[in-house]
């Protein structure tokens, strides 16, 4: 097979603990250096928390895995300083087309709105993504990455966890105040704790081929039901960097996975899709069966599960890594506050509550897509085919065509960390919602709101055309000087020279947050809205901060 | 509260019934199944109210099992 990527090999260096036979207690140990564990590690380092990352292997993700990364995950990576590198290398896209037979039945645009820093989606091979995350992690003195270090047991004590870690030099103990288990869908930590991972397996098989070719398909997601080149089954096409294309062929449950992986079976399928005269080479071929399942709760004492170890979805909708990264985003600021003594341990239960709600939403979407693509009963197939038939001429039916509802961030509607609205606001920026971006001018340079939401609590005060009242500035300054990491910004309509002001010259911030002079937003370190008011009220703001930190 | 209208609504019920039956003329059972599915989708959208649909589905399922 043709290789466009050479896998890095990270070397194993025995830790001081293992060399000297001492047992050290680390505040946080992350198990698993996949996308989620690495994201968590980068975020801990940003917050000044030293972190040990243990990974059983010594390289990045091998073979055909994630391709599509959504805006929200990219925003998290951007906050951590690696997003731009991914976007620069990746294929940016936002249009999806769905075909039935040889006719297009449905088209969607994932970001119809202008003026966002981060695109709707990029495609990038998972090995590049992890490679970029690892190089960023290696820059930090606070991240201790340990390769070929497999956790083989985990035991919870009253105030810490004892891990046994197997390395090429033998087995040694590592102690951790808190453990983040990011060890993937087959999580061994989950098994060590004897936790149920409930859900369903879809009785279908999919051939996933990454092929290298020069082709002039556009940078769009193309999905076919019943295409002429692969009758009665579905197919999917995605562009990746380096002239690599992801092809996905539905095979049915009866297909023999070993047979289907053989080049003599794969090549004719690819040729039928691309045309016999398109030269290509296979980069990687695998056959998958998909499942949708999750843990009931993501916190188990001092062990917190994040990413695929906590929830697993089918790839239709790209909700795997795209929902694991927000897990890390949600957890790290909370644990950092707990470690700092600035929030009670019970704040960590809100991690489980909020991310279980997100996992439910993702599983529901993923299950529905999979049921549409692989109908479970005869009647389900009849309705599916009827929808596809109607979709050609009937606009209403197009919205029922489900080839994967692509990952969108979850609004934590019922979170106890939210302060419910007392004032009337229009739009989507309700308490619990992920903050949406807008262009703003900062320090006389064009920039973005998301750059101001830098991992601390942020208060936005809409000053309109007036100066910020002295008592408002004083109250906000004293909060910023207080124990919680917090920054505040005046939102102005034109440049006024207020320190830290965000100049909303395009008016998008006003429009997207329904701001009027005097409006106040409190935004969490993970860029979700915590509270908002029409008038500044220092006591209400303090109460909302209390609530958002689980007190 | 019940929203599904179940009182008789057609001016000429026999004509409507015949319309339904005639629409399946000369179709195989598979083709009829397809037609019915499309018809349900069209009518469901026309009704445009998930509650009404759910109520109708409950009523239709009664006695089937
Ligand atoms: C075909 C396919 C297509 C996909 N497409 C997409 C997509 O387009 N978009 C998307 O968002 N997601 C996609 N996904 C899902 C995505 O790959 C996963 O959600 C993602 O990799 C999960 O990241 P993670 O860090 O939780 O776990 P993993 O990536 O599985 O990483 C787990 C890490 O833990 C380590 N580990 C395991 N056990 C131990 C142990 N005992 N001790 C130490 N280390 C251990 C492993 O070595 C590994 O590095 C796809 C998946 C597949 C299979």
């Amino acid at each position: 097979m043709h290789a466009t990527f050479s896998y890095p090999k990270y070397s194993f260096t025995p830790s001081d603990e293992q060399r000297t036979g001492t047992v050290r207690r680390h505040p946080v140990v992350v198990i698993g250096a996949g996308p989620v564990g690495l994201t968590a590690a980068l975020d801990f380092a940003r917050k000044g928390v030293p972190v040990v990352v243990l990974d059983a292997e010594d390289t990045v993700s091998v073979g055909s895995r994630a391709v599509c990364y959504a805006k929200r995950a990219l925003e998290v990576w951007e906050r951590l300083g690696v997003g731009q590198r991914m976007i620069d290398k990746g294929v940016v896209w936002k249009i999806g087309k769905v075909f039935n037979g040889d006719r297009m039945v449905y088209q969607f645009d994932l970001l119809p709105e202008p003026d966002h820093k981060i695109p709707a989606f990029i495609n990038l091979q998972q090995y590049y993504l992890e490679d970029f995350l690892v190089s960023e992690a290696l820059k930090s003195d606070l991240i201790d990455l340990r390769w070929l270090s497999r956790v083989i047991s985990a035991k919870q004590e009253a105030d810490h966890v004892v891990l046994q870690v197997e390395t090429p030099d033998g087995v040694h103990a590592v102690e951790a105040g808190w453990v983040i288990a990011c060890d993937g869908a087959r999580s061994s930590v989950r098994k060590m704790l004897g936790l149920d991972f409930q859900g369903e397996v879809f009785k279908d098989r999919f051939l996933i081929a990454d092929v290298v070719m020069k082709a002039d398909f556009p940078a769009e997601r193309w999905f076919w039901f019943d295409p002429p080149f692969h009758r009665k089954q579905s197919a999917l096409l995605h562009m990746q960097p380096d002239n690599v294309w992801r092809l996905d062929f539905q095979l049915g449950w009866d297909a023999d996975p070993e047979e289907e992986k053989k080049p003599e079976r794969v090549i004719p399928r690819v040729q039928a899709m691309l045309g016999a005269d398109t030269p290509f080479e296979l980069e990687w071929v695998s056959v998958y069966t998909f499942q949708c399942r999750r843990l009931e709760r993501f916190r188990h004492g001092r062990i917190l599960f994040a990413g695929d170890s906590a929830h697993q979805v089918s790839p239709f909708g790209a909700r795997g890594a795209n929902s694991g990264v927000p897990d890390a985003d949600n957890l790290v600021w909370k644990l950092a506050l707990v470690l700092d003594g600035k929030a009670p341990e019970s704040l960590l239960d809100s991690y489980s509550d909020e991310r279980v709600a997100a996992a439910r939403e993702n599983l529901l979407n993923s299950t529905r897509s999979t049921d549409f693509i692989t109908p479970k009963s005869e009647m389900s197939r009849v309705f599916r085919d009827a929808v596809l038939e109607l979709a050609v001429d009937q606009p209403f039916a197009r919205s029922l065509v489900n080839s994967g509802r692509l990952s969108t961030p979850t609004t934590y509607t019922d979170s106890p960390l939210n302060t419910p609205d007392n004032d009337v606001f229009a739009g989507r920026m309700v308490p619990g919602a992920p903050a949406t971006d807008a262009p703003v001018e900062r320090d006389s340079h064009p920039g973005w709101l998301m750059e101001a939401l830098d991992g601390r609590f942020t208060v936005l005060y809409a000053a309109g055309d007036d100066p910020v009242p002295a008592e408002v500035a004083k109250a906000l300054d004293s909060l910023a000087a207080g124990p919680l990491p917090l920054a505040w910004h005046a939102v102005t309509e034109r440049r006024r020279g207020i320190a830290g002001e965000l100049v909303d010259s395009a008016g998008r911030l006003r429009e997207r947050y329904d701001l009027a002079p005097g409006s106040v937003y409190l935004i969490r370190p993970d860029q979700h809205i915590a509270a908002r008011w029409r008038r500044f009220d220092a006591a209400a703001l303090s109460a909302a901060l209390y609530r958002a930190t689980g007190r | 509260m019940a929203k599904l209208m179940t009182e008789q609504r057609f001016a000429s019920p026999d004509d409507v019934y015949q319309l339904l039956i005639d629409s399946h003329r000369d179709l195989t059972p598979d083709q009829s199944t397809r037609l019915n599915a499309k018809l349900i989708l069209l009518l469901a959208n026309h009704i445009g109210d998930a509650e009404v649909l759910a109520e109708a589905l409950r009523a239709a399922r009664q006695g089937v099992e």
Side-chain angles (χ1 to χ4, degrees), chain A residues 105-106 387 390-402 405:
Chain A
V105 289
Y106 184 55
V387 164
L390 286 171
V392 177
D393 297 317
Q394 309 289 348
F396 86 89
R398 287 170 207 157
S399 64
L400 300 174
V401 174
N402 190 340
R405 303 285 184 220

Side-chain angles (χ1 to χ4, degrees), chain A residues 261-283:
Chain A
K261 267 196 289 206
K262 293 188 176 157
E264 62 265 31
R265 301 276 297 185
V266 177
I267 289 169
R269 291 198 193 282
V270 176
Q271 275 174 337
M273 181 176 196
L274 303 173
D277 47 357
T278 305
F280 67 89
E281 287 191 72
L282 298 177
E283 187 180 63

